[in-house]
Amino acid sequence: MATYHKYECKILALLIGSGMSVLSMVGLRMVTQEGPRKCLKIYEGLERAAAPLAAASTTTATASATRDVKSSASSKSARRRIRRRKLRESLRGEEIAETTEEKGTKEPRGGDDEDVDTTPYNLVTHADRRASKDFLERSLMAAFLLKCLQRVGFFACPTPDNEVPGVEEITVAALLLRNLQLLQFNAHEFFETRTDAEHRFRGSRPVYLGVAIYPGVARFNHDCYPAVTRYFVGRHIVIKAIRSLRPGDVIAENYGPIFTKKTLAERQRALAARYWFRCTCKTCQEDWPCFENLTNDSVRLRCPTAGCSGLHSRVRVSKPIKCPDCQKKICLEDRLACLRECEALYECGLADMENERVDEAIRTFCDALKRFHEVACPPHRATHLAEIALSSCLADYGNTWRPAGVLKIARLEK
């Protein structure tokens, strides 16, 4: 058996029976799929990357302490402490090297210049903000997972139960603890689209299959009105824009709470509990209504004057008005006409979906949404429905599951 199977399959019943979360399982997988030797190299890479920051912090602290030194005796004492610390770090590095060389692992050894990707491990963990209880719980889980690895032969020479774990084992445990912290904020659920037997879109729904970590996508910021949608092709994640983006715009995704389904209070509560931040996106600042209270009249029309960022409520008269931002008289009739055309195009796109013409629906929605954002600014009920419909059409390009009967009919039609 290759990769993680030779470790995890031996204790799969134990892992399931333990009640551990899926994130804990992913944290273990990040270790078992790499093997012990590569885990050590990953940890060494993280330590090297953190060294300059630690050195800068130490230098600042030392400089500050030096200014406060009143006698040469205290200065000598500080230098002795620094020498002792450097000696301990040197001995620890030698101990890790000796453990790797003498004990070895069951993994084939690569060269010293073997490439190790530490990108997933550099994601945010908020370790400095964790409560003692949270840190203790994750440390206990890391200790449990370490014990599992010792039992399944992950280490060449596992330490007996009545002894303190060796340096190699402690290093892997530290990596496990780091994984358990970063996965809280950076993991993505991946899904496939399940379609109904009678229609491609009517009755379709996403079915979540598991959790994975995508380091690039994990760095996207959150917005309660996301600019992108995501779907999956095999194991790969695909990110597509669902609305027009201007130079300088933040390309944000959504971490779960979206304004069309959750109120401001519900979104803030969910984000603070899971991701530890208070959202200040435009949607939250303006407290956009949910779908149940959202209408097309909530839209704002953009000022037609070049360079002006003024927004105006929807009006149904052709009489010119004065823009308070640019102080010019403007007529919004053309903008209103374009908005009505967009609403008509949305209906055409929905009709294409009803007839299962996916490519035509995508083109229609993209054209209409681009025109909408040129002349207007949300919230706008029809526009948000169109963006949701566009996301469904794009997801049809990804992992989908259709009943066998539908596939047979499709083959006969071809």
Side-chain angles (χ1 to χ4, degrees):
M1 292 188 293
T3 65
Y4 59 87
H5 291 287
K6 58 186 176 183
Y7 305 122
E8 293 180 17
C9 290
K10 299 176 183 177
I11 52 170
L12 190 58
L14 171 63
L15 297 176
I16 295 173
S18 69
M20 60 190 287
S21 69
V22 65
L23 293 183
S24 298
M25 191 69 208
V26 176
L28 176 65
R29 178 67 53 82
M30 291 171 70
V31 167
T32 55
Q33 70 183 4
E34 299 292 358
R37 175 171 172 76
K38 208 163 186 180
C39 285
L40 291 176
K41 294 184 74 67
I42 289 171
Y43 189 81
E44 291 170 4
L46 293 171
E47 289 287 285
R48 284 195 300 270
L53 297 176
S57 177
T58 302
T59 302
T60 303
T62 303
S64 177
T66 302
R67 286 194 296 268
D68 296 334
V69 169
K70 301 297 183 180
S71 65
S72 60
S74 60
S75 178
K76 291 178 180 179
S77 176
R79 287 197 294 269
R80 283 197 297 270
R81 286 197 299 272
I82 293 173
R83 285 197 296 270
R84 284 198 296 269
R85 178 174 56 78
K86 289 183 177 180
L87 178 61
R88 285 196 300 270
E89 291 176 354
S90 175
L91 291 174
R92 184 174 180 277
E94 291 175 4
E95 188 177 0
I96 291 176
E98 289 175 3
T99 302
T100 304
E101 291 297 326
E102 293 176 6
K103 289 189 175 182
T105 67
K106 293 187 177 181
E107 299 289 315
R109 291 180 177 273
D112 292 337
D113 57 348
E114 181 183 1
D115 291 334
V116 174
D117 183 15
T118 61
T119 305
Y121 303 91
N122 287 319
L123 297 171
V124 64
T125 63
H126 290 313
D128 57 332
R129 296 175 55 190
R130 293 190 180 275
S132 300
K133 181 176 181 293
D134 180 284
F135 191 77
L136 174 62
E137 290 172 348
R138 294 176 194 276
S139 297
L140 289 174
M141 177 54 68
F144 167 70
L145 296 177
L146 174 64
K147 187 61 66 177
C148 291
L149 292 175
Q150 291 174 325
R151 287 287 188 273
V152 297
F154 185 78
F155 304 101
C157 300
T159 304
D161 290 340
N162 59 346
E163 295 182 14
V164 177
V167 175
E168 182 182 30
E169 294 163 320
I170 291 176
T171 301
V172 171
L175 206 57
L176 285 167
L177 180 58
R178 189 186 189 97
N179 295 346
L180 295 174
Q181 294 178 80
L182 68 87
L183 284 167
Q184 175 184 351
F185 308 108
N186 300 288
H188 278 82
E189 292 178 314
F190 61 87
F191 62 87
E192 68 178 11
T193 302
R194 298 280 177 93
T195 62
D196 189 76
E198 298 180 356
H199 196 273
R200 195 169 194 163
F201 295 107
R202 202 185 312 123
S204 67
R205 67 193 188 282
V207 176
Y208 292 94
L209 305 176
V211 174
I213 185 165
Y214 298 93
V217 183
R219 288 179 165 83
F220 278 53
N221 284 331
H222 164 84
D223 198 305
C224 294
Y225 175 42
V228 299
T229 187
R230 61 177 180 263
Y231 60 91
F232 298 84
V233 178
R235 295 182 177 182
H236 301 283
I237 189 170
V238 180
I239 303 295
K240 291 279 189 179
I242 55 173
R243 58 183 169 90
S244 296
L245 294 166
R246 302 184 178 193
D249 285 352
V250 175
I251 305 176
E253 70 151 347
N254 184 265
Y255 291 0
I258 193 166
F259 87 93
T260 54
K261 296 181 179 180
K262 300 289 185 181
T263 65
L264 172 61
E266 290 171 334
R267 298 197 307 272
Q268 295 287 5
R269 185 164 53 249
L271 292 169
R274 172 70 188 275
Y275 298 101
W276 299 1
F277 73 89
R278 182 179 183 276
C279 183
T280 57
C281 69
K282 185 177 181 180
T283 309
C284 289
Q285 291 177 357
E286 298 180 357
D287 194 8
W288 291 4
C290 297
F291 259 149
E292 57 188 20
N293 298 317
L294 185 60
T295 67
N296 287 343
D297 292 330
S298 303
V299 71
R300 282 82 53 83
L301 299 175
R302 299 184 187 276
C303 177
T305 304
C308 180
S309 58
L311 298 174
H312 306 274
S313 60
R314 185 171 188 168
V315 291
R316 301 183 182 279
V317 294
S318 58
K319 184 178 179 180
I321 62 173
K322 185 177 182 179
C323 176
D325 288 62
C326 64
Q327 298 297 313
K328 293 183 179 180
K329 280 193 174 183
I330 58 173
C331 181
L332 298 174
E333 189 61 30
D334 290 343
R335 304 261 157 171
L336 279 171
C338 185
L339 181 59
R340 295 189 190 101
E341 291 175 5
C342 291
E343 293 171 350
L345 284 173
Y346 295 156
E347 295 298 326
C348 293
L350 293 173
D352 288 332
M353 287 184 69
E354 183 64 27
N355 293 317
E356 302 188 45
R357 296 193 295 263
V358 182
D359 294 339
E360 290 86 343
I362 291 175
R363 283 194 293 269
T364 302
F365 284 133
C366 288
D367 178 48
L369 290 169
K370 180 181 178 181
R371 294 171 65 181
F372 170 84
H373 286 284
E374 288 174 352
V375 301
C377 183
H380 181 243
R381 183 181 178 85
T383 294
H384 300 311
L385 287 172
E387 289 167 343
I388 294 171
L390 175 59
S391 297
S392 298
C393 291
L394 292 171
D396 192 68
Y397 287 150
N399 297 338
T400 57
W401 181 89
R402 295 183 176 88
V406 175
L407 295 177
K408 290 179 181 178
I409 293 172
R411 292 194 189 99
L412 289 174
E413 289 177 349
K414 289 181 180 180

